[in-house]
Amino acid sequence: QVQLGESGGGLVQAGGSLRLSCAASGRTFSIYAMGWFRQAPGKEREFVAAISWSGDNTYYANSVKGRFTISRDNAKNTIYLQMNSLKPEDTAVYFCYADRDRLGSLRSWGQGTRVTVSS
């Protein structure tokens, strides 16, 4: 199993920035990819960004392209989500995940960190 701990959420004004972190522990040697989902109040959970554990492949939801950047530190088993130009629509609980297989069948989830963007 992989345990995940998120941090970095908080309250910011529109146009501001936050940097989320997610540290993995446990069977980190099996990680294939890591990324982020988010869930806004009353909304379904949606994909935000992902990064492969090798090859530097990154993927972003259209809603965050150009504003968010996902990165990783393999030595620290940690990923980051740099969020710039934040909008009220970005308000959500952000969940980190780690996949131990290519299709996400072996997926671990963090407990989430709350991001609130005020107008």
Side-chain angles (χ1 to χ4, degrees):
Q1 66 273 27
V2 175
Q3 293 78 45
L4 302 172
E6 305 105 323
S7 62
L11 173 64
V12 298
Q13 291 186 330
S17 298
L18 283 174
R19 185 185 188 232
L20 306 184
S21 300
C22 177
S25 61
R27 298 185 64 180
T28 57
F29 60 87
S30 299
I31 293 176
Y32 178 84
M34 293 181 66
W36 299 88
F37 277 69
R38 67 185 182 186
Q39 188 164 21
K43 303 293 180 62
E44 295 184 3
R45 186 173 297 190
E46 65 175 348
F47 171 78
V48 177
I51 187 167
S52 62
W53 218 238
S54 62
D56 291 317
N57 300 119
T58 58
Y59 307 89
Y60 297 95
N62 288 333
S63 58
V64 305
K65 285 182 179 178
R67 299 188 298 120
F68 291 9
T69 302
I70 189 170
S71 61
R72 70 173 190 267
D73 186 336
N74 294 55
K76 295 183 177 181
N77 297 314
T78 299
I79 63 166
Y80 307 92
L81 186 67
Q82 180 65 47
M83 305 186 296
N84 298 327
S85 302
L86 283 163
K87 305 175 181 179
E89 304 90 85
D90 297 317
T91 295
V93 177
Y94 284 70
F95 295 91
C96 175
Y97 74 88
D99 287 338
R100 293 191 286 116
D101 72 331
R102 188 173 70 252
L103 298 180
S105 298
L106 300 174
R107 176 167 290 176
S108 298
W109 292 93
Q111 296 184 25
T113 185
R114 181 178 295 274
V115 172
T116 302
V117 184
S118 62
S119 300

